[in-house]
Amino acid sequence: MTRTLVVMGVSGVGKTSVADEIVERTGWAFVEGDDLHTDANRAKMASGVPLDDDDRWPWLRRIAAWIGEQEAAGRGAVVTCSALKRSYRDLLRDGHPSVWFVHLLAPPELIKERVDARRGHYMPPSLLQSQLATLEPLGPDEPGAGVETTGSPDDVAERVLAQLADDGAGDALQGR
């Protein structure tokens, strides 16, 4: 069975860095979920206004469609997406049995340091608090695992892939 890893968490937790390392190890297809936002969503966030559900649903449907394309092609895949709410994750996995969530975790102080240090990203540090307030952790019935982002992205990617294998999804890693 193919796997689609949805690397999720709040802005600044390390989604892109970890996803890049996973893709390097697996050779799987990759899309940066932020690239699927509309220009209007990016402008809204850049102006310091958090997205609401009306903004997010079309974006999440684009991500779900991309996941479906990868599944149909039989490709393993990695996508970054905040996936802050259970309802968002439910949409992403609806009809997509390949989905496995990688919830990246870090203390809020560390995330704030990372966000404050970023340059050239459209999402300002002022929106971090709204993401932390919105975040709903993975439920025990959701496919996936929480992974601490302490250490290098390389170390975190190794932990993700080990957790994936431990969770019985290791068949997707054959031939990586």
Side-chain angles (χ1 to χ4, degrees), residues 6-22 30 32-34 59 78-84 102-104 111 114 118 121 123 131 149 153 156:
V6 177
V7 181
M8 62 166 281
V10 297
S11 182
V13 77
K15 294 184 295 290
T16 300
S17 299
V18 171
D20 286 344
E21 292 293 333
I22 293 169
F30 173 67
E32 175 70 54
D34 284 346
W59 169 64
V78 178
V79 59
T80 58
C81 175
S82 54
L84 298 174
V102 177
H103 183 181
L104 297 181
I111 296 169
R114 291 175 179 171
R118 280 199 310 207
H121 196 278
M123 186 164 158
Q131 284 204 335
T149 61
V156 177

Side-chain angles (χ1 to χ4, degrees), residues 8-147:
M8 62 166 281
V10 297
S11 182
V13 77
K15 294 184 295 290
T16 300
S17 299
V18 171
D20 286 344
E21 292 293 333
I22 293 169
V23 169
E24 186 171 310
R25 283 165 182 69
T26 61
W28 292 351
F30 173 67
V31 71
E32 175 70 54
D34 284 346
D35 291 345
L36 300 177
H37 271 300
T38 63
D39 289 342
N41 278 4
R42 279 193 281 279
K44 187 173 184 177
M45 287 184 281
S47 70
V49 178
L51 298 180
D52 59 27
D53 284 352
D54 289 338
D55 300 315
R56 287 188 181 112
W57 289 120
W59 169 64
L60 291 163
R61 286 186 193 99
R62 280 191 288 284
I63 293 172
W66 184 85
I67 291 169
E69 291 167 10
Q70 305 318 302
E71 282 181 342
R75 286 190 288 264
V78 178
V79 59
T80 58
C81 175
S82 54
L84 298 174
K85 291 183 181 180
R86 167 74 184 245
S87 59
Y88 303 164
R89 297 188 298 270
D90 288 347
L91 183 147
L92 293 175
R93 68 184 177 130
D94 184 34
H96 299 121
S98 72
V99 169
W100 198 81
F101 295 101
V102 177
H103 183 181
L104 297 181
L105 306 166
E109 307 78 40
L110 177 58
I111 296 169
K112 183 177 179 338
E113 284 176 30
R114 291 175 179 171
V115 169
D116 287 344
R118 280 199 310 207
R119 299 290 173 254
H121 196 278
Y122 63 85
M123 186 164 158
S126 62
L127 292 183
L128 176 59
Q129 200 52 47
S130 72
Q131 284 204 335
L132 289 168
T134 302
L135 179 64
E136 297 172 1
L138 281 179
D141 61 328
E142 291 181 274
V147 179

